[in-house]
């Protein structure tokens, strides 16, 4: 059997992504306390959904995450909090994949 570094690398990346997603899910559901930053983001997501960019910037003037989470919430009809958690979990997967890719270089 031949060693295929591309196939092994993809298998490792997929495994790390699944583990990262599982750990993120565990972290979100085992810790019931939401910190003040997370509450602020949920409020800004809801403000953007209900009143647009002007209303959102009255609460916090950092629109990227709130806009993405609000659009995701509107598309999926999920709550603002759950949408933010899903996006954070996805970003953690991207982060761990980037670390894995860097470590292989």
């Amino acid at each position: 059997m031949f060693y295929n570094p591309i196939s092994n690398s993809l298998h490792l990346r997929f495994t790390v992504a699944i583990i990262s997603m599982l750990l993120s899910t565990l972290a979100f559901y085992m810790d019931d306390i939401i910190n003040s930053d997370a509450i602020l983001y949920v409020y800004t997501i809801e403000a953007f959904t209900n009143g647009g960019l002007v209303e959102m910037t009255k609460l916090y003037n950092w629109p990227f995450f709130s806009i993405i989470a609000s659009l995701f919430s509107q598309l999926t009809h999920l709550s603002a909090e759950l949408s933010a958690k899903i996006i954070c979990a996805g970003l953690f997967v991207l982060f761990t994949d980037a670390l894995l890719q860097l470590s292989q270089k």
Side-chain angles (χ1 to χ4, degrees), residues 6-17:
I6 294 173
S7 175
N8 288 338
S9 175
L10 289 176
H11 180 60
L12 179 62
R13 289 176 67 191
F14 181 74
T15 303
V16 169

Side-chain angles (χ1 to χ4, degrees), residues 63-82:
F64 177 74
F65 183 78
S66 301
I67 291 171
I68 298 299
S70 175
L71 293 174
F72 186 78
S73 176
Q74 291 173 4
L75 288 173
T76 60
H77 302 289
L78 297 173
S79 69
E81 183 181 344
L82 183 57

Side-chain angles (χ1 to χ4, degrees), residues 47-49 51-61 63-64 67:
F48 181 77
T49 301
L53 191 61
V54 173
E55 290 300 314
M56 186 200 71
T57 56
K58 289 179 184 176
L59 294 174
Y60 192 57
N61 198 14
F64 177 74
I67 291 171

Side-chain angles (χ1 to χ4, degrees), residues 3-104:
Y3 175 73
N4 186 349
I6 294 173
S7 175
N8 288 338
S9 175
L10 289 176
H11 180 60
L12 179 62
R13 289 176 67 191
F14 181 74
T15 303
V16 169
I18 295 296
I19 292 170
S20 176
M21 188 64 76
L22 290 173
L23 289 174
S24 293
T25 303
L26 281 173
F28 288 135
Y29 287 105
M30 293 188 75
D31 187 13
D32 292 340
I33 299 172
I34 299 175
N35 65 22
S36 58
D37 289 338
I39 292 170
L40 177 62
Y41 273 117
V42 170
Y43 286 156
T44 58
I45 292 166
E46 290 172 350
F48 181 77
T49 301
N50 296 328
L53 191 61
V54 173
E55 290 300 314
M56 186 200 71
T57 56
K58 289 179 184 176
L59 294 174
Y60 192 57
N61 198 14
W62 190 262
F64 177 74
F65 183 78
S66 301
I67 291 171
I68 298 299
S70 175
L71 293 174
F72 186 78
S73 176
Q74 291 173 4
L75 288 173
T76 60
H77 302 289
L78 297 173
S79 69
E81 183 181 344
L82 183 57
S83 296
K85 286 180 178 181
I86 290 170
I87 290 171
C88 283
L91 291 173
F92 282 128
V93 168
L94 287 175
F95 177 69
T96 55
D97 186 54
L99 286 176
L100 182 64
Q101 292 296 307
L102 284 171
S103 69
Q104 289 179 344

